[in-house]
């Protein structure tokens, strides 16, 4: 999993709701290393894998997406939607959108 999914947080839960319940948390690579040394866990096991770490989109991609959204949405709505999609700060996106609009008006 660590090789395919990359660096993600995860948990290995063993014997849930039973007397010898055990939960081990860490990065996938750390958990793989632990179980290579300790051997496979015994009993019923559940592995929970966290989402990938977010990566910030390139500036050109942000500008392209903003331009697309501004064609069909108000400035406020375009910024809100892109902030929800990317997790970037609304204020920074708002400033970029204003710059894009000015650039479009100027030539």
């Amino acid at each position: 999993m660590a090789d395919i999914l990359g660096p993600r947080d995860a948990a290995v839960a063993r014997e849930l709701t039973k007397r010898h319940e055990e939960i081990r948390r860490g990065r996938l690579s750390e958990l793989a290393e632990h179980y290579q040394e300790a051997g496979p866990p015994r009993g019923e096991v559940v592995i929970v894998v966290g989402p990938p770490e977010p990566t910030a989109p390139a500036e050109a991609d942000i500008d392209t997406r903003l331009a697309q959204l501004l064609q069909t949405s108000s400035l406020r709505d375009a910024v809100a939607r892109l902030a929800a999609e990317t997790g970037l700060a609304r204020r920074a996106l708002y400033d970029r959108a204003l710059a894009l609009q000015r650039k479009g008006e100027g030539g």
Side-chain angles (χ1 to χ4, degrees):
M1 288 176 122
D3 291 341
I4 294 170
L5 298 176
R8 294 192 190 193
D9 291 328
V12 176
R14 186 179 77 81
E15 298 294 324
L16 292 176
T17 73
K18 296 185 178 143
R19 177 179 287 182
H20 301 290
E21 179 178 302
E22 176 188 11
I23 299 175
R24 181 172 296 276
R25 294 175 180 87
R27 303 296 261 171
L28 281 172
S29 57
E30 295 166 352
L31 293 169
E33 187 176 307
H34 169 78
Y35 287 108
Q36 275 185 329
E37 293 174 10
R42 295 181 141 182
E44 298 170 355
V45 175
V46 175
I47 301 172
V48 181
V49 180
E53 294 178 356
T55 55
E59 288 185 25
D61 294 338
I62 294 170
D63 290 346
T64 300
R65 184 68 178 132
L66 270 173
Q68 291 171 343
L69 291 170
L70 287 169
Q71 290 176 2
T72 58
S73 304
S74 68
L75 178 67
R76 180 177 171 251
D77 291 342
V79 167
R81 184 163 176 189
L82 191 56
E85 289 176 10
T86 63
L88 297 173
R90 285 182 184 216
R91 184 72 208 165
L93 291 173
Y94 187 83
D95 291 343
R96 288 182 81 97
L98 284 176
L100 277 175
Q101 283 186 331
R102 278 185 242 137
K103 184 178 176 183
E105 291 171 2

